[in-house]
Amino acid sequence: MRTLNAGAAVLFAAALLVVSLASPTGARDAGPPLGKTNFAIALGGLDAASRTNWVRLGMYTFAPDGSVSEKHWSWSQAVRAARASTGNPAVDCAGRACTVLTAAGWQSSAAARTMTGTYGLRGDELHIAWDGGHMEDWKLTSLAGGDLAGVELAANDLGATHGFGNGSNAPWNSRVPASTIAAADHGTFVHRYYLWKAGRIDHGDGSPFWVTHWNLCADHRCLGAQTHTVDDPVHTAYYISPAGTSSGHRRDTLWHWHTDLADARHELCYTGNSHVKPMIQIVDDEGRFHGWVGVEASLNQTTATGADGDHIGVFRILGLGGPQESGPVTASAAATSEPSRTSAVAAAISGAR
């Protein structure tokens, strides 16, 4: 039998350690991240000096065997996509009866792209190695008494600068109805966002979203509101609806615009540069509603400023306490921030590739 010298033995032992971390069947913490299978995640590559910023909204599904699959929709300033109709009319809820618009592609499940890979866990660190060579590192946090998980982007090689999301064991075809969302105490929800506009990154955190009371629309599938302030008497119309006409999913969209802009164009419903924000409902293990993870993909289609008129970014509206989170969840019977260190797990797995 051939023997190894001391140097070779050290290298051999290191190689065994790397393989054990990289392999889904090797030494790692067992089970999906914090025991949660389905994560809604927003990613964005946002640079104040760039005019090719991008965002991605995805659904990550983790299996107990260490495999992960992902389905996402993406938008970029480099691809000038127009707004699209959800097909959902919002009537008797926002002052103006309009069919809700969204970012192009979000209304269609067929527009999504898919990825597969493997994941590894060590404590609160999650590492994903995608087939094809890309990687993501995430920091895990347990929320809502363990019924919900949070993730924050720690490192990646995708060019993403911001990323966060939430996960639970609620199925992707489970949906919180609009009536439950309308009854929630939105004044306790925290709105966090990173938004590129006019060559700068706008950031907010710690305060509620601009609407804290939503009206149920006539179809009981959509929500609406109209707001203004003492200092700014201009009304803003807000709408939330499912991403498309089907309901067997947790995909929503937020649409808002100033009514004076529509009036200036002699329109009831604004067809110019409205804000379109795809979102995924955050639902915990017990079916309670906690808000949304989303992206803004409001690309300029009206003015001559081109990409300088875009609004693109990532956001989350998250509520973690109070009785407003309880409520029925409907299921379709037909199934119709910033980057930081690279974790020890990531380093080991990256070295194995």
Side-chain angles (χ1 to χ4, degrees):
M1 183 177 65
R2 185 163 57 96
T3 60
L4 298 175
N5 61 34
V10 170
L11 291 175
F12 180 70
L16 285 178
L17 175 61
V18 167
V19 170
S20 69
L21 289 170
S23 172
T25 59
R28 64 178 182 87
D29 291 354
L34 296 181
K36 311 305 180 191
T37 301
N38 298 324
F39 284 73
I41 290 179
L43 278 172
L46 306 176
D47 178 356
S50 176
R51 300 299 184 274
T52 57
N53 294 289
W54 59 270
V55 292
R56 191 174 90 184
L57 186 57
M59 302 184 296
Y60 291 48
T61 300
F62 296 88
D65 65 358
S67 63
V68 56
S69 61
E70 183 256 23
K71 183 177 185 179
H72 72 263
W73 292 253
S74 60
W75 297 268
S76 169
Q77 289 181 287
V79 179
R80 311 304 299 174
R83 288 147 182 80
S85 174
T86 64
N88 295 314
V91 179
D92 295 334
C93 54
R96 301 191 182 200
C98 299
T99 297
V100 179
L101 301 185
T102 190
W106 184 238
Q107 77 281 5
S108 170
S109 60
R113 298 179 179 180
T114 59
M115 299 170 64
T116 58
T118 59
Y119 69 92
L121 295 164
R122 177 172 289 171
D124 61 359
E125 294 178 346
L126 164 66
H127 176 72
I128 301 174
W130 295 113
D131 296 342
H134 288 296
M135 55 75 65
E136 299 170 19
D137 273 359
W138 297 89
K139 176 83 168 182
L140 296 164
T141 306
S142 181
L143 303 170
D147 289 331
L148 189 69
V151 288
E152 292 282 338
L153 185 65
N156 72 101
D157 65 357
L158 302 171
T161 56
H162 303 80
F164 42 73
N166 293 91
S168 74
N169 292 312
W172 287 123
N173 65 344
S174 295
R175 180 175 185 81
V176 177
S179 57
T180 298
I181 297 174
D185 182 3
H186 291 270
T188 66
F189 285 36
V190 174
H191 180 209
R192 175 187 178 191
Y193 62 90
Y194 299 88
L195 177 67
W196 185 97
K197 59 180 182 180
R200 64 187 179 91
I201 307 297
D202 191 13
H203 168 56
D205 197 359
S207 298
F209 184 66
W210 303 297
V211 174
T212 57
H213 175 76
W214 291 96
N215 303 311
L216 193 62
C217 300
D219 66 354
H220 285 209
R221 298 181 71 244
C222 301
L223 300 167
Q226 192 174 101
T227 66
H228 68 88
T229 66
V230 174
D231 296 331
D232 181 9
V234 173
H235 289 269
T236 302
Y238 291 86
Y239 304 84
I240 292 175
S241 90
T245 53
S246 66
S247 296
H249 54 78
R250 283 198 267 145
R251 293 183 294 119
D252 281 343
T253 197
L254 172 62
W255 181 47
H256 58 92
W257 39 273
H258 286 174
T259 56
D260 66 319
L261 297 177
D263 294 342
R265 295 161 66 106
H266 306 289
E267 297 176 340
L268 177 67
C269 304
Y270 189 45
T271 61
N273 282 339
S274 57
H275 295 268
V276 284
K277 301 178 177 181
M279 311 186 293
I280 298 174
Q281 292 180 354
I282 302 171
V283 184
D284 72 16
D285 290 347
E286 300 300 319
R288 295 173 295 191
F289 175 71
H290 289 271
W292 298 271
V293 174
V295 300
E296 177 161 7
S298 305
L299 304 181
N300 179 15
Q301 63 184 50
T302 303
T303 73
T305 59
D308 284 338
D310 294 344
H311 284 199
I312 188 166
V314 298
F315 70 93
R316 179 170 58 188
I317 302 171
L318 179 64
L320 290 176
Q324 75 276 358
E325 294 166 10
S326 62
V329 175
T330 58
S332 166
T336 114
S337 322
E338 294 80 10
S340 59
R341 59 178 173 78
T342 301
S343 70
V345 176
I349 297 180
S350 296
R353 287 202 300 263

